[in-house]
Amino acid sequence: MGQCYGKTVPTVRDADGVITDVIGDSDHPLQQTPVSSNNLPSVKNTPARSSANSPWPSPYPHGVVGVTPSPARSTPRRFFKRPFPPPSPAKHIKASLAKRFGHAKPPAEGPIPEDETPEPDQSLDKNFGYNKNFGAKFELGKEIGRGHFGHTCHAVGKKGELKDLPVAVKIISKTKTSISSSSTTPRCMR
Ligand SMILES: Nc1ncnc2c1ncn2[C@@H]1O[C@H](COP(=O)(O)OP(=O)(O)OP(=O)(O)O)[C@@H](O)[C@H]1O
């Protein structure tokens, strides 16, 4: 068990000294593969040269002897090293900015305007100045919501243009901002 036994293939030597393998039994030989005396297949009688009588026709046109040269020889040379570096994407960005704004200089950094033409009654008061005298200006009510930076409370104005008007006051924790010195920064939102 576990051993491999090779099958002895009978051979026939012709008058030229060419040895031919005989595949199949002696009564019904299936195929004969000519080999030379050095146990290599005989080039003279290979099937590629004797395909005229083969039931499978050759894909090459008739009369062509040998193998067509490889088309790889006619492949154009590839240059892996680029003569110029690829264009910088920043140039495209600058060009698009120049096309949009009329000059190559990008707009000055700053807060992005939320609304081009805000209506007076819909704009938010973004000034943080209610930490002083906040209790004198607004009557703080119950909490109506919470956000990431703080919570929002209902309030009513006591004086000024917001007198007796309901407002929403967002109280931002001091730990979430660095504007005010107090622990919380009330922010009035209409
Ligand atoms: N003007 C308002 N009127 C009524 N309710 C409001 C008003 N502003 C805020 N709220 C309520 O308070 C909640 C929290 O508001 P807030 O502005 O803190 O939310 P947020 O923008 O998600 O918070 P953050 O910006 O801190 O993440 C809202 O979900 C809303 O229910």
Side-chain angles (χ1 to χ4, degrees), residues 94-145:
K94 288 182 179 179
S96 62
L97 290 175
K99 187 176 181 181
R100 178 178 299 179
F101 298 104
H103 54 84
K105 186 178 180 181
E109 293 185 2
I112 300 174
E114 296 180 355
D115 197 354
E116 293 289 338
T117 55
E119 297 182 9
D121 56 343
Q122 291 183 354
S123 62
L124 293 176
D125 187 0
K126 301 178 182 179
N127 297 321
F128 292 87
Y130 294 102
N131 54 334
K132 297 178 180 177
N133 300 325
F134 180 82
K137 296 179 181 178
F138 295 95
E139 181 69 32
L140 195 62
K142 63 179 182 180
E143 179 179 323
I144 57 177

Side-chain angles (χ1 to χ4, degrees), residues 68-78:
T68 305
S70 173
R73 298 172 186 270
S74 61
T75 302
R77 297 180 62 184
R78 299 182 64 182

Side-chain angles (χ1 to χ4, degrees), residues 29-156:
L30 299 176
Q31 184 180 357
Q32 292 185 352
T33 303
V35 294
S36 61
S37 58
N38 54 358
N39 288 335
L40 295 175
S42 175
V43 177
K44 184 172 66 177
N45 296 323
T46 55
R49 291 178 181 263
S50 60
S51 61
N53 298 326
S54 175
W56 299 282
S58 172
Y60 299 106
H62 294 289
V64 176
V65 178
V67 181
T68 305
S70 173
R73 298 172 186 270
S74 61
T75 302
R77 297 180 62 184
R78 299 182 64 182
F79 298 95
F80 295 102
K81 187 173 183 180
R82 296 180 179 177
F84 300 103
S88 174
K91 293 182 180 179
H92 299 285
I93 297 174
K94 288 182 179 179
S96 62
L97 290 175
K99 187 176 181 181
R100 178 178 299 179
F101 298 104
H103 54 84
K105 186 178 180 181
E109 293 185 2
I112 300 174
E114 296 180 355
D115 197 354
E116 293 289 338
T117 55
E119 297 182 9
D121 56 343
Q122 291 183 354
S123 62
L124 293 176
D125 187 0
K126 301 178 182 179
N127 297 321
F128 292 87
Y130 294 102
N131 54 334
K132 297 178 180 177
N133 300 325
F134 180 82
K137 296 179 181 178
F138 295 95
E139 181 69 32
L140 195 62
K142 63 179 182 180
E143 179 179 323
I144 57 177
R146 280 184 176 271
H148 179 72
F149 294 100
H151 58 280
T152 304
C153 297
H154 177 270
V156 178

